[in-house]
């Protein structure tokens, strides 16, 4: 599994309860552009419309060797999921106020996949706790490196 891009901000902003692997409906030029690493999902989000899951606001740069028929860079892209998964997520979104956030874009067996997570937003004190834990972990690793002489 080769990771193309990650949404690092998502882990800081949300608590994830479930994760799903989704395929993406792409054109040939978009696939070539993604293979070159010209994709970004930091501002992207997912929504359910018409019983289908859509990825909105994901950036895939135009393929430089493509034709004039290259698709828009921030167009809506359909996510390929099982009906039961979409229905389960729709229920969680409607009942508990969760949201669906893209976490990472990667290659799996020559196919481009998107990991999406069912998430609940963090409050300010939760974000502070996350920062505190990250600082403690960083300091501990620094002390271990200093003690071992690396």
């Amino acid at each position: 599994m080769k990771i193309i891009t990650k949404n690092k901000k998502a882990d800081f902003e949300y608590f994830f309860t479930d994760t799903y692997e989704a395929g993406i409906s792409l054109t040939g030029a978009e696939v070539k552009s993604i293979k070159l690493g010209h994709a970004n999902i930091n501002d992207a989000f997912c929504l359910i419309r018409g019983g289908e899951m859509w990825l909105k606001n994901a950036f895939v740069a135009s393929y430089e060797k493509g034709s004039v028929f290259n698709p828009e860079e921030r167009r809506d892209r359909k996510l390929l999921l099982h009906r039961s998964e979409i229905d389960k997520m729709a229920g969680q979104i409607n009942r508990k106020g969760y949201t669906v956030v893209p976490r990472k874009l990667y290659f799996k067996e020559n196919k481009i996949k998107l990991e999406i997570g069912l998430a609940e937003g963090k409050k300010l004190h939760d974000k502070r706790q996350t920062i505190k834990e990250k600082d403690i972990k960083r300091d501990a690793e620094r002390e271990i490196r200093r003690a071992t002489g690396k």
Side-chain angles (χ1 to χ4, degrees):
M1 184 171 87
K2 180 186 172 203
I3 296 175
I4 300 162
T5 183
K6 288 175 93 171
N7 188 353
K8 295 177 186 174
K9 202 176 193 183
D11 288 326
F12 181 70
E13 297 284 334
Y14 301 99
F15 288 119
F16 288 96
T17 56
D18 289 332
T19 58
Y20 299 92
E21 181 179 79
I24 310 174
S25 180
L26 299 168
T27 65
E30 287 176 323
V31 172
K32 291 177 182 180
S33 181
I34 289 173
K35 281 185 178 183
L36 293 174
H38 302 300
N40 188 349
I41 58 171
N42 287 341
D43 299 329
F45 60 97
C46 300
L47 60 92
I48 298 172
R49 183 176 55 206
E52 297 176 335
M53 181 76 71
W54 293 86
L55 178 66
K56 296 188 66 81
N57 207 27
F59 177 80
V60 177
S62 294
Y63 184 58
E64 63 232 15
K65 296 177 184 172
S67 66
V68 294
F69 301 109
N70 276 344
E72 293 180 29
E73 294 177 337
R74 291 199 181 267
R75 73 179 182 93
D76 296 350
R77 293 169 178 88
K78 185 177 175 181
L79 296 181
L80 308 173
L81 290 160
H82 291 284
R83 168 68 49 207
S84 60
E85 293 173 332
I86 293 173
D87 291 342
K88 182 179 176 184
M89 282 189 267
Q92 294 283 349
I93 290 168
N94 292 335
R95 263 182 275 136
K96 297 185 180 176
Y98 286 146
T99 186
V100 181
V101 180
R103 296 185 75 185
K104 59 184 160 184
L105 188 66
Y106 57 93
F107 287 109
K108 182 179 179 185
E109 299 172 4
N110 263 351
K111 292 182 175 50
I112 297 173
K113 300 288 184 176
L114 179 73
E115 181 180 297
I116 57 175
L118 196 59
E120 182 179 13
K122 286 184 181 179
K123 305 279 189 266
L124 182 61
H125 60 87
D126 295 327
K127 292 178 187 178
R128 287 181 183 153
Q129 183 65 30
T130 303
I131 291 170
K132 187 176 177 183
E133 289 169 0
K134 225 183 261 187
D135 288 344
I136 290 170
K137 183 179 176 184
R138 187 181 321 119
D139 291 341
E141 288 175 357
R142 190 177 296 142
E143 287 296 323
I144 290 171
R145 276 184 286 168
R146 192 177 309 153
T148 58
K150 287 186 178 179

